[in-house]
Amino acid sequence: MNNLNLAVALAKAEKEEEVIAILKENGFWDDYKYWEPYGNKENNYSTIGNQQSAADAALVEKLINSVDAILVKECLLRGIAPDGSAAPKSMAGAMRDFFGVTDGKLANIDAKQRSNMAGNIILAATGQARGQECLTIADCGEGQTPKRLPRTILSIGESNKMKIPFVQGKFNMGGTGALPFCGKNSLQLVISKRCPEIPNDGSDDSFDDWSISVVRREDARDGNRSTMFTYLTDENKQVLRFKSDSLCIIPITSKSGKQEYEDMRYGTY
């Protein structure tokens, strides 16, 4: 199975067992050479396992990251460095400058504007019974390239947002708080593509590629005493990548009540 088909198959898998079966079929699950420590830290469990005590608060952190990604995209599309002097100094300022929201307050926009803005982020629950759903969060934010992903979404404690004044996430760890709540093996699928309209300075040869990885919690390996979180790579320790104009992976419910999928062009899933 090539990486494109792998991404679609994993995105449409609704149960933990299905994900593991797909990874086993493609030779990934049981071979440690395809799994790198999350954040490049073998003792990452102590950080990730102590982020959140409640699943709902952990889920909110994911949505906050999506909001941040959209604001950063809008800044970059205008040719403004997010950490530069010309960037908005607050989230309210970003909402005003990028979306025309008066005083940066959502209470000042009408229902149609609010609905259009809400379409930038999707939270969908699919699959099993209540309490065992497959939760999907997808945004049309800045997106990450395969080379950037280990330094952003798959990192811990980096200063990626520390100097950006208009985002909420600062400490590069809140997004990991959901992992302990993601089933028996803490499985999380990550698919991302950089927004193609963002200026490309040519320094990243993976700029036009999709990236895909899976995060899991591993029991202690030989030589290690504690469990750790790892993410899927190829045999060269690089995040899997592929090219495609779009992916049909965004879950929606049709008018007839049947689950279907819409295209995703860029952003993070």
Side-chain angles (χ1 to χ4, degrees):
M1 186 181 292
N2 62 35
N3 291 342
L4 188 159
N5 292 334
L6 177 67
V8 174
L10 289 172
K12 295 183 178 181
E14 301 288 358
K15 299 180 181 180
E16 196 170 21
E17 296 80 9
E18 293 177 42
V19 174
I20 294 173
I22 292 170
L23 294 173
K24 283 188 173 182
E25 180 184 346
N26 287 273
F28 292 125
W29 184 259
D30 296 311
D31 195 334
Y32 286 149
K33 74 180 180 184
Y34 294 114
W35 300 89
E36 284 291 288
Y38 199 111
N40 198 31
K41 296 177 175 64
E42 290 188 350
N43 63 341
N44 55 36
Y45 185 81
S46 61
T47 299
I48 295 173
N50 289 287
Q51 286 296 307
Q52 295 286 350
S53 59
D56 53 351
L59 180 61
V60 169
E61 290 284 355
K62 292 288 192 187
L63 296 169
I64 287 173
N65 285 341
S66 288
V67 172
D68 288 349
I70 290 168
L71 295 178
V72 170
K73 179 193 76 171
E74 293 298 326
C75 192
L76 292 170
L77 289 177
R78 291 161 173 77
I80 302 171
D83 58 353
S85 60
K89 300 301 183 284
S90 65
M91 176 170 284
M95 294 293 290
R96 180 195 64 233
D97 295 349
F98 301 156
F99 293 99
V101 177
T102 304
D103 296 329
K105 297 180 179 179
L106 292 179
N108 293 330
I109 63 176
D110 59 30
K112 182 178 180 180
Q113 289 175 296
R114 191 176 297 113
S115 178
N116 289 337
M117 290 180 65
N120 287 310
I121 302 172
I122 293 171
L123 170 60
T126 59
Q128 304 177 68
R130 185 173 182 178
Q132 297 180 315
E133 302 94 340
C134 176
L135 295 180
T136 298
I137 299 171
D139 65 62
C140 54
E142 61 170 327
Q144 304 298 325
T145 69
K147 285 191 172 181
R148 290 172 57 92
L149 201 67
R151 305 195 305 270
T152 53
I153 295 174
L154 300 176
S155 67
I156 303 174
E158 298 291 338
S159 57
N160 298 315
K161 299 181 185 178
M162 189 65 71
K163 297 180 180 179
I164 302 178
F166 57 84
V167 299
Q168 297 178 77
K170 297 290 186 184
F171 303 110
N172 188 223
M173 57 179 63
T176 63
L179 293 174
F181 302 101
C182 293
K184 295 178 181 178
N185 293 277
S186 299
L187 295 181
Q188 176 184 267
L189 172 65
V190 180
I191 301 173
S192 195
K193 184 182 181 183
R194 196 73 168 160
C195 173
E197 283 79 36
I198 290 175
N200 178 11
D201 63 8
S203 62
D204 186 342
D205 62 8
S206 67
F207 187 91
D208 296 323
D209 295 347
W210 289 86
S211 55
I212 170 179
S213 188
V214 176
V215 179
R216 71 178 184 181
R217 179 182 54 79
E218 292 184 11
D219 292 330
R221 297 184 184 183
D222 293 341
N224 290 340
R225 291 184 296 175
S226 65
T227 185
M228 70 174 171
F229 288 87
T230 59
Y231 67 89
L232 179 66
T233 69
D234 62 21
E235 57 188 10
N236 297 315
K237 308 300 183 185
Q238 304 296 313
V239 170
L240 304 179
R241 65 172 73 178
F242 60 91
K243 292 185 182 298
S244 180
D245 291 337
S246 63
L247 290 180
C248 191
I249 59 173
I250 303 297
I252 62 168
T253 301
S254 68
K255 292 182 179 179
S256 64
K258 181 181 178 181
Q259 183 175 315
E260 297 178 350
Y261 296 89
E262 286 186 340
D263 281 345
M264 177 177 181
R265 289 198 311 114
Y266 66 86
T268 298
Y269 174 106

